[in-house]
Structure formats: C-alpha cells, structure tokens
Amino acid sequence: MSTALPEALPVKRLPEWEFIALVAMLFATIAFSIDAMLPALSTIGQELSPEAPNRAALVVGAFVFGMGFGTLFTGPLSDAVGRKGVILWSYLVFIIGAIIAGTAPTLEIMLAGRFLQGLAAAGPRIAALAMVRDLYNGPKMASIMSITMVIFGLVPAVAPLLGQAIMLGFGWRAVFFAFAGFALVASLWMGLRQPETHPPSARRPMRLATLWNAMKIALSNRVFRFAVAVQTVIYAALFSMISAIQPVFDISYGRAESFPLWFGLMAILSMSASFINSRIVVRFGMRRIIMTALGVQIVMAGAALTDLLVTATLPFVAFFIWATSVMFLVGFTLGNLNALAMEPMGRIAGMAASVSGAISTVLSVIMAMPISLAFDGTPLALIAGVLVCVSVAMALMRWLGPRRATDLS
C-alpha cells in the first residue's frame, strides 16, 4: 500500500508574523542591493575607472538592466517549477554575481557581476509575490501585503547607512560580500522553514510561445502601451536620480559622509506619497493624479533648472527638496500606472505584468544611463534629464486622454 501523500493536501503555513518577515526580506533583496551600494559609487569610480569616474553609475544601471530581463521569465518559470526552487536557485546565482563583483579587478567585470545579480534578484521578488497569492486571497492577502510593504519601505532608509558602515569598516568590496551574506541567510530561512506553496498539480509548463502571444495581446491594447511608456520614462527619471544622487551629494555639495542620513530622510518622507495616493485615488481617479503629479514635478524641476542656470549654483536645501519631490512623484504615479496597465489584461494579467515590468525596466535603464554619465560636478544634467523625462510622460498622458469606452477591450 502506497504511503505517498496526496498532492492536494493543504500547504503547511508558517506563523503569520514569520511569513511576513520572510516575504519582506525576499522583497528587500532588490532595494538592499541598490541602495547599500550608493555610498561607495564615488570610491568605485576613482579606483576602477579613474579616467571616467562617472562610469561608476553603471554599477546601478547594470543591476537594474539584469533585473528587467529576469522579470520577464521569473513569473512563468515559478508557475512551471514552483516558487521555492526559483527563489533558492536565484539566490545561488545572486551570490555568484556578488562574488564576481566583489573581486572584480576592472569595472567591466564588476558590471558583469552586477548584471548577474540583477538577473537573479528578480526571482525572490516575483516568486515571493506569487507565494503570497498561493496562500492568501482577498482582504487577508491585502493586509499581509500592506504590512510587508511597510517593512520593505524602510529598507531604502537604512540600506545606505549600512552600506557606508560596511565600507568604512572593511572597504567597499565588503559591501558585495554583505549582499552574498544576505542572500545566504534568506536562502537558509526559505529552504529550512517555508514549504513549497505551488504543488505539482497546479503547475503549468513554461512555453515561450505562450509568453510571446501574451506580449502581442498586451501590446495591442492602447491603454497598456501608453501606461508602459509612461512607466518607462518615470523609471528613467528615478534610476537617473538613484545613479547620480550620491556623486551630487559628494562632489557638488561636499556631503558624502552625511549622504546616507539625507537619503534615508528622503525615503522616509516619500513613503507618505503611496499612503496619500491610496486615500485619494478612488475620489480623483488614476489618470488625474498621475497628470497632477507630473505637472507639479515639471514646475519644480523647471524652477530648479532655471535657478541653477541663472545663478550657476543651487542651494543644497533647494536640491534636497527637489530630489525628495522626485521620490514623491514615484509614489503618486507608478502604482497607478501599473493598475492602469493591468486593468484591460484580464486572463493574461500575470504574463502582462512580466511584460510590463521587463519592458519598462530595460528601456528606462537605457534612457537613464546617458543622464547619469553626463554628470559634470553639478546637478545640471540630473535635473535637466528628469525634466525631459517627466515632460515626455506628461505628453504621453495627454495623448492617452480620458478613459474611453473601448479601453478595457
């Protein structure tokens, strides 16, 4: 008589507090891998690319570029082989990438390691979200996601401080080994405590033809195309900011040592934008909020750029307020744009989310790289680049126009 357990048995669940903490850690892989690196960018540029230190900004871009490609395949792969395997194998690749970057003798080899890290980091983020969906639904899922995102939102506030402490104590290369240690801890926690949430009976084979068909269906929808295009240019503004802000603090304002504190304050202040958006979106609508946020940023970036061009300098307080406003823009736009893109997608929402994330991430990095590399010791290139991005986003939103009766078809 067979003693095998039936596949339909319910999955054993971790205590809710532990599951939330684990998912928050999986989500935090991307934010920690980007933000903890920021204090080291100037030092990396001086050591590995002294002839062109601005190229250190590519350390962020290479990671995000790899993450964009990983996003396209991670969701379908976790549907085919399960969440746990994708997360654990992704962390193994992530650790390899961290070691390559941490021991790299040249910037080019470091960028290859960072690309590998980014490619792998998409696994924990996307598969963890699917894991939450496997175990919970409705208001309970929303509650768990809300608590998780509050914890996750604290990562950008503390990661630069942690990265700076590691760099000052052990050198900038140790930051990459901290990434490997983070991944190892997350892997052990996931592997030893969390059962697989996607049983073989529920799995679907991964077919490139299915992904290609979903991409064609998604891109044939007008609202999806515009929403992804606007997401792309706003992500470009955000990635330009993340890549260039530490050199601006260091070289333009001589505040390298206090940068993690200022960046943490920016992150904490900007957390309120998503909360405010959740309270007003039903009343005012997604498109109106997006266009208002873009309009405010156009005015603020235009004023900052004019001040800089006229006086040849921009006071630090003015730059800090403007930089924080860019983070606020993200809170009022990206969530709404994602919802706008997914609204017409119906049965292919999962695949469409992968397509949207991959396209907007990869293209935005390509757009952000020239802005980051144009840094000339002043905030000029950054402010001008963000102004161009948000102006294009506004033009696209006006072209999209108000909601039409055919938008959901």
Side-chain angles (χ1 to χ4, degrees), residues 13-25 189-190 192-194:
R13 299 187 182 188
L14 293 179
E16 188 173 303
W17 67 267
E18 184 180 356
F19 181 73
I20 290 172
L22 174 60
V23 172
M25 186 172 191
W189 190 0
M190 178 74 191
L192 296 175
R193 293 288 296 159
Q194 176 61 55

